[in-house]
Amino acid sequence: MVTIKEFPKEEYLLKGHAACAGCGPSIALRLLFKALGNKVIMVVPACCTTVIQGPYPYTSFAVPLQNMLFEATGATCSGIVAALKIRGLEDITVVGWAGDGGTVDIGIQALSGAAERETNFIYICYDNEAYGNTGLQRSGATPYGAWTTTTPTGKRERKKNMPLIMAAHKIPYVATACPSYPVDFVNKLRKAREIRGTKYIHVLTPCPTGWRYDTSKTVEIGRLAVQTGIWALYEIENGRFRLNSPSDRLIDKSKRKPVREYLAMQDRFRHLTEADIEKIQQWVDEDWEYYRKLASNECV
Amino acid sequence: MAQIIIDTANHIAGYAAKAARVKVVAAYPITPQTTVVEKIAEFVESGEMDAEYIRVESEHSAMAACIGAAAAGVRTFTATSAHGLALMHEALHWASGARLPIVMAVVNRAMGAPWSIWPDFSDSLSQRDTGWIQFYCADNQEVFDTIIQAYRICEDERVFLPAMVCLEGFILSHTYMPVKIHDQEEIDAFLPPYKSGWILDVNNPFSHANLVSPEWYMEFRYMIQEAMENAKRLIPEIDKEYGQRFGFQHGGLIDKYQCDDADLIICTMGTMGSEAKIAVDNLRKEGLKVGAARIRVYRPFPVEEVKKLAEQPSIIATIDRHISFGMEGFLASEIKASLYHMEDKPLLAGFIAGLGGRDVTFRTIEEIAKKSLKWMKMGRVEKETVWVDLRE
Ligand SMILES: Cc1ncc(C[n+]2csc(CCOP(=O)(O)OP(=O)(O)O)c2C)c(N)n1
Ligand code: SF4
């Protein structure tokens, strides 16, 4: 376990990247490189990171990066891993880094295939809960009620639970994270690197542009997501579910802040009715009942 | 040691991938391609082939995995047909744009709807503009030799482009023919280890294929066009060198037969080229001056050679196993386009035949030839495009 003081000083996300001010994914990216160093080959499909890295002939990444088709991250990683194996370069960590759209929607097939083939790589879904690159349309990971440009009156369906879908693949490591908890995220990445097989980490990355809040509030919003329990930090290692700090203290409902606090900070939820907020609160409580069972091995 | 085996073109494609020392194969099954990948699975599992075989969950992923592997520095191979190729379409553009020398066997099959598993060129010809070199084979030996040649051409630094080696489903894919599998050491001497223009390297990090502004995009496209022109020069040279080394040569860009004094040249692609040779022999016995030209390489298109070819005959008849709806067969269009600037052009007659696997025998071709010769005497073609053997 590293502490924040032990984080390496090296920066592999270089100055001059093109993310919006206050961009949650770019904080996660910086942490990713701090955790894994530069013996990494990355695959990035079409997403905000296509823009963040900067246009040709520049790049803001100090690791080799293969830009790839929107839906093909998993399969591309399989190809790279196979080639590195043939070349005897298995100490290089292959990382797929994709948005929620590229993961839970159009890319789910290639990711599922790569996981089923036990491809030895880390797949990270950075979840800004919309299609950021194309102007903030809804995705399967957009939560109920949220405004997006294709759900102008709020999304009517619930968020797809991708980490549990990945856990159903029986891969050795699934984890959730949030850059507001950098130590947790970095340690999860370090752990994932040491495990053979497919590792899936789903990072909730607040997006001021899409979620409509002040750019200075990204870390705070991420914290609130965790403190209200709308996002839980956990890992599933070889099928064993464990809540991580501070989520592990939130099974008791009285310890969780009301989701209203989280929702109220973001204009994408501005139009929600009282009934909507209650419904969301009820779903969160139900999720936690499920986490409680998972954590106490009452179900898998 | 070289050996002669009797096998199907699909298995032969597998032998060729093995002989080329391919290191990563990623493929998804589709009739009539399946036995290519089954053969390779056998080779890999038995240890005869030192390669990683990625059993992907779709053709789109097959091409994506090949792109990843080629970018990470190894020789790759895949094979597909029809709907699988169509599903790959997006990734085909990506592979050529990324300048990765991937080689793929395309076992030609007609596109649905309605479903058909039988051959025509509608699958590969609809990928015409993806930036892939396209070879069309006439027999199983050519399939073997062309796959080996394709790697040499694609991995040449003047080219660095991917290639499709096309062979018609069932007509070749499932038909047994004797094929010489050349000596491995000689193949190794002909085909050096994998080379590509760039590689994902942790010691030399860069972003590959990131966003390119209008300031630069055209230059990237122009380089592909140049690479295609280079391939056009290189293909006949390499075919010739191959012939000297192994005793088999397949015509370079155009496989010509009895064209030198021909009044009529029958222009085809793929196995129809073999049938056309039989037709030419028969028609010559009747005293008719007929020749056959099989376009072996469709992209880059051999414009200059077609022009040269057109100096002799009074009429060229194209037979397309394909239709570009609302226009005509691609081959007919390409030949027309190639000859536009020529002063003394021959007449051109376009025939559509063999769609969805309908047989095109030498007899069919003889009929096409006779109709064309009639038009030649008349000095004009009566119909721009004729659908051969059509139930009306
Ligand atoms: C096949 C295909 N369809 C659509 C697009 C357009 N497109 C590019 S990025 C994107 C959305 C990406 O959303 P997400 O994966 O959530 O990442 P984000 O942009 O939010 O970082 C879309 C729809 C594309 N590039 N390719
Ligand atoms: S839209 Fe959101 S995720 Fe995308 S760069 Fe801007 S802040 Fe980051």
Side-chain angles (χ1 to χ4, degrees), chain A residues 25 45-50 52 69-71 98-103 106 126-137 139, chain B residues 60 90:
Chain A
C47 59
C48 277
T49 313
T50 315
I52 293 174
L69 300 166
F70 193 19
E71 63 282 62
D100 46 296
T103 302
I106 201 166
Y126 71 93
D127 185 359
N128 59 2
E129 301 194 318
Y131 295 164
N133 175 297
T134 39
L136 301 157
Q137 298 80 23
S139 83
Chain B
H60 194 282
E90 185 198 26

Side-chain angles (χ1 to χ4, degrees), chain A residues 136-138 145-156 212 267-268 270-271:
Chain A
L136 301 157
Q137 298 80 23
R138 65 89 91 176
W147 164 91
T148 67
T149 52
T150 50
T151 55
T153 58
K155 186 181 165 186
R156 304 256 193 302
R212 299 170 139 195
D267 275 359
R268 65 172 170 156
R270 191 171 49 186
H271 52 276

Side-chain angles (χ1 to χ4, degrees), chain A residues 40 53-56 58-59 62-69 71-72 75-76 78-80 82-83 85-87 109-110 113 117, chain B residues 52 54-58 60-61 64-65 68-69 71-72 74 90-91 94 198 201-202 205-212 220:
Chain A
V40 163
Q53 64 187 277
Y56 173 87
Y58 305 106
T59 178
V63 302
L65 160 60
Q66 176 65 55
N67 284 281
M68 196 44 189
L69 300 166
E71 63 282 62
T76 311
S78 285
I80 294 175
K85 184 171 173 207
I86 288 279
R87 296 179 60 213
Q109 174 178 317
R117 289 189 299 273
Chain B
E52 288 286 309
I54 312 177
R55 292 145 181 97
V56 284
E57 79 301 328
S58 78
H60 194 282
S61 285
V74 302
E90 185 198 26
W94 203 263
W198 60 278
D201 177 5
V202 291
F206 68 101
S207 279
H208 194 268
N210 56 339
L211 195 64
V212 166
F220 281 111

Side-chain angles (χ1 to χ4, degrees), chain B residues 348-350 375 380-387 392:
Chain B
L348 296 176
W375 289 347
R380 64 183 175 89
V381 295
E382 278 186 323
K383 218 172 165 193
E384 189 94 3
T385 303
V386 179
W387 286 60
E392 274 174 296

Side-chain angles (χ1 to χ4, degrees), chain B residues 8-285:
Chain B
T8 63
N10 273 1
H11 283 177
I12 292 300
Y15 277 98
K18 174 160 85 91
R21 298 194 185 280
V22 163
K23 291 296 176 218
V24 169
V25 177
Y28 192 78
I30 178 169
T31 304
Q33 154 268 29
T34 43
T35 52
V36 180
V37 294
E38 288 168 6
K39 190 73 195 166
I40 292 175
E42 235 175 83
F43 284 145
V44 173
E45 299 263 301
S46 68
E48 282 171 83
M49 190 170 167
D50 173 28
E52 288 286 309
Y53 181 19
I54 312 177
R55 292 145 181 97
V56 284
E57 79 301 328
S58 78
E59 287 87 354
H60 194 282
S61 285
M63 189 42 61
C66 285
I67 288 170
V74 302
R75 189 171 285 156
T76 56
F77 180 77
T78 185
T80 191
S81 290
H83 294 261
L85 186 65
L87 186 60
M88 272 184 195
H89 175 75
E90 185 198 26
L92 297 180
H93 280 284
W94 203 263
S96 63
R99 307 298 299 271
L100 294 168
I102 298 162
V103 173
M104 163 162 66
V106 174
V107 186
N108 288 112
R109 160 179 161 180
M111 293 297 299
W115 287 118
S116 163
I117 54 168
W118 294 279
D120 66 32
F121 296 137
S122 54
D123 54 357
S124 53
L125 288 184
S126 11
Q127 308 305 328
R128 180 185 71 174
D129 302 332
T130 54
W132 283 59
I133 294 169
Q134 290 198 354
F135 294 94
Y136 287 82
C137 299
D139 60 47
N140 294 7
Q141 183 70 49
E142 189 177 1
V143 170
F144 183 89
D145 296 336
T146 304
I147 289 173
I148 305 290
Q149 290 184 6
Y151 282 108
R152 190 48 204 279
I153 292 153
C154 294
E155 293 173 16
D156 189 288
E157 64 202 10
R158 290 162 286 180
V159 179
F160 286 145
L161 283 176
M164 296 178 196
V165 176
C166 304
L167 57 119
E168 286 142 277
F170 299 109
I171 301 176
L172 292 184
S173 69
H174 288 66
T175 302
Y176 286 79
M177 293 181 199
V179 171
K180 189 166 179 193
I181 308 289
H182 311 302
D183 178 67
Q184 186 65 50
E185 269 179 36
E186 284 178 36
I187 291 175
D188 292 343
F190 172 79
L191 180 62
Y194 179 73
K195 223 172 50 214
S196 69
W198 60 278
I199 202 168
L200 290 165
D201 177 5
V202 291
N203 299 313
N204 178 25
F206 68 101
S207 279
H208 194 268
N210 56 339
L211 195 64
V212 166
S213 68
E215 262 184 287
W216 284 107
Y217 187 83
M218 271 185 66
E219 281 69 19
F220 281 111
R221 296 300 98 165
Y222 184 71
M223 288 191 285
I224 294 178
Q225 176 67 5
E226 270 187 329
M228 278 285 182
E229 291 299 327
N230 291 342
K232 210 189 311 191
R233 280 191 295 277
L234 211 58
I235 290 166
E237 281 172 31
I238 293 206
D239 189 42
K240 195 166 158 208
E241 181 194 328
Y242 194 91
Q244 284 157 357
R245 282 175 185 265
F246 301 106
F248 289 94
Q249 213 175 318
H250 300 284
L253 298 164
I254 305 180
D255 178 18
K256 296 185 262 309
Y257 186 68
Q258 306 265 32
C259 289
D260 289 348
D261 64 342
D263 296 329
L264 160 69
I265 289 178
I266 301 159
C267 195
T268 60
M269 280 165 39
T271 56
M272 289 189 303
S274 306
E275 292 293 322
K277 286 182 184 175
I278 302 172
V280 165
D281 288 343
N282 290 346
L283 294 161
R284 290 247 165 199
K285 276 183 211 141

